[in-house]
Amino acid sequence: MKYTRLGNTGLSVSRLCLGCMSYGDPKQGHHDWVLDEEQSRPFYRAALESGINFFDTANIYSNGASELVLGRALKDLARRDEVVVATKAYFPWGLGPNTRGNSRKALFAAIDASLNRLDMDYVDLFQIHRWDDEVPVEETMEALHDIVKSGKALHIGASSMHAWQFARAQEVARSNGWTPFVSMQNHLNLLYREEEREMIPLCHDEGVGLIPWSPLARGKLARAWDETTRRNETDAMNAHLYGGGDSADRAIVDAVGMIAEARSVSRAAVGLAWHFTKGVAAPIVGATKSGHLEDALVAVDLELVDEEIAELEGPYRPKEVSGLTMPTPPSGTPTVKG
């Protein structure tokens, strides 16, 4: 495994981050492809044995069960000072009006509840899952600063938002002497590259670490165009983000396949390796089947040449901005466990 600093911090993270949305309780939330605790344990063990030290979850994943499962796995399999744990808050986790968003009250409650489920004294990275139009950014940034100063989080990060929003939040933090964001968890892959226009240059300029989600476009880059999976057919986010596709997307998927065959590696390895050409610190990878982690690990040492990068990027056509909002859950508002 290779390691890098997360942004301008002294925090060392593996070049792959294990995304924990796939682990928790399939009876909680709205994803029946989620693995339960017993099924997920081998993936945590394999990740740690491979050198992965970076784990990302959120209070909304499996309605809190993801944090419970992650906390118990790391307690049994790792030393706390050797792993980097990230979690997130924003999406509704309860029925009340203050159990969502980025208000001071909501964030203070969220971090305490997450630490309780994780059974940890602190998280290494506490992230706002999305921008909140209803809360003054000053309130959000001061609350996050106070959470850091309380010792409950070492660093703070953000997830998908407009570049101007991220820049505004950073300036509010700097002008008030508050803690700035050190990472951006944004939507980026070969089928969605709109972040290259503003967000990625902004993050590079400010020394903010990039830890993109959906680096394989919900698996579309890991298989042939006409292949499908159970998750692909049942995941509402898949249709929301990549519904339909077009000839350009197909050409990109075909290019991934051709390069993978020529290099004798998996499609997933090629799709993930491309991220390192964009200055990404650690793409967030999911693993629910044997082989997923092995494919991802190959990407760390796979260096794409200029001609291959041109083949992968050439067919791309601009897309509408996506990933800043989420589809409405099929029924009601969740109540997070724990």
Side-chain angles (χ1 to χ4, degrees):
M1 178 52 62
K2 295 178 180 178
Y3 300 88
T4 189
R5 300 290 183 181
L6 183 61
N8 282 336
T9 75
L11 189 65
S12 292
V13 296
S14 50
R15 296 308 302 269
L16 296 174
C17 175
L18 184 64
C20 301
M21 184 172 69
S22 299
Y23 314 129
D25 184 348
K27 297 179 181 179
Q28 299 293 327
H30 310 289
H31 303 308
D32 60 3
W33 38 262
V34 168
L35 304 184
D36 63 24
E37 185 163 10
E38 181 179 357
Q39 294 170 317
S40 66
R41 187 59 68 95
F43 292 95
Y44 285 117
R45 181 177 291 106
L48 290 163
E49 290 176 350
S50 73
I52 291 175
N53 74 339
F54 194 8
F55 300 85
D56 176 77
T57 186
N59 64 353
I60 197 63
Y61 294 164
S62 288
N63 289 349
S66 175
E67 291 178 322
L68 289 166
V69 168
L70 172 61
R72 288 196 285 258
L74 293 183
K75 189 172 185 178
D76 291 345
L77 302 173
R79 290 170 53 99
R80 179 64 185 92
D81 58 350
E82 294 180 349
V83 293
V84 176
V85 177
T87 194
K88 302 182 286 293
Y90 165 77
F91 291 108
W93 59 83
L95 300 176
N98 290 307
T99 55
R100 66 194 68 194
N102 298 334
S103 70
R104 186 177 184 86
K105 180 176 178 62
L107 292 174
F108 273 49
I111 186 63
D112 285 345
S114 287
L115 292 177
N116 181 63
R117 285 187 291 271
L118 289 163
D119 192 20
M120 295 177 180
D121 296 325
Y122 69 93
V123 292
D124 300 275
L125 183 65
F126 186 49
Q127 306 157 99
I128 55 170
H129 216 153
R130 291 297 186 273
W131 178 268
D132 191 339
D133 283 319
E134 298 182 358
V135 176
V137 67
E138 292 81 3
E139 177 178 341
T140 297
M141 298 310 294
E142 185 177 20
L144 291 170
H145 172 73
D146 289 342
I147 287 170
V148 170
K149 292 307 175 184
S150 73
K152 296 177 180 179
L154 303 186
H155 303 282
I156 58 171
S159 190
S160 294
M161 60 181 63
H162 293 292
W164 71 263
Q165 294 170 328
F166 189 63
R168 181 182 174 194
Q170 293 290 72
E171 180 55 31
V172 164
R174 280 192 293 262
S175 63
N176 286 281
W178 298 333
T179 306
F181 292 124
V182 303
S183 63
M184 166 51 63
Q185 185 175 148
N186 54 343
H187 181 203
L188 177 69
N189 55 62
L190 277 165
L191 299 185
Y192 184 81
R193 294 171 48 204
E194 299 309 300
E195 295 289 287
E196 292 180 44
R197 301 181 188 280
E198 295 184 356
M199 182 62 83
I200 290 178
L202 172 63
C203 289
H204 287 333
D205 183 64
E206 297 204 351
V208 171
L210 294 168
I211 50 173
W213 54 270
S214 197
L216 292 176
R218 239 52 179 189
K220 282 186 172 291
L221 293 165
R223 57 180 179 268
W225 182 259
D226 294 324
E227 291 181 16
T228 188
T229 64
R230 172 182 154 198
R231 174 172 177 175
N232 181 57
E233 295 171 348
T234 61
D235 187 354
M237 278 297 291
N238 183 66
H240 176 67
L241 296 171
Y242 310 111
D246 56 23
S247 58
D249 285 356
R250 181 163 192 158
I252 293 168
V253 171
D254 289 344
V256 171
M258 288 186 290
I259 293 172
E261 183 176 2
R263 288 292 203 103
S264 297
V265 297
S266 68
R267 290 170 178 260
V270 173
L272 289 171
W274 171 82
H275 286 77
F276 300 123
T277 71
K278 298 300 174 183
V280 166
I284 299 173
V285 299
T288 55
K289 295 180 180 178
S290 60
H292 284 178
L293 272 180
E294 288 82 355
D295 290 342
L297 290 167
V298 170
V300 175
D301 295 310
L302 179 62
E303 296 185 8
L304 300 174
V305 300
D306 291 344
E307 292 78 7
E308 291 170 327
I309 296 171
E311 290 177 21
L312 292 169
E313 295 184 350
Y316 186 79
R317 295 295 178 268
K319 301 280 202 311
E320 291 187 9
V321 174
S322 68
L324 305 189
T325 59
M326 303 282 273
T328 302
S331 61
T333 300
T335 301
V336 170
K337 296 168 60 177

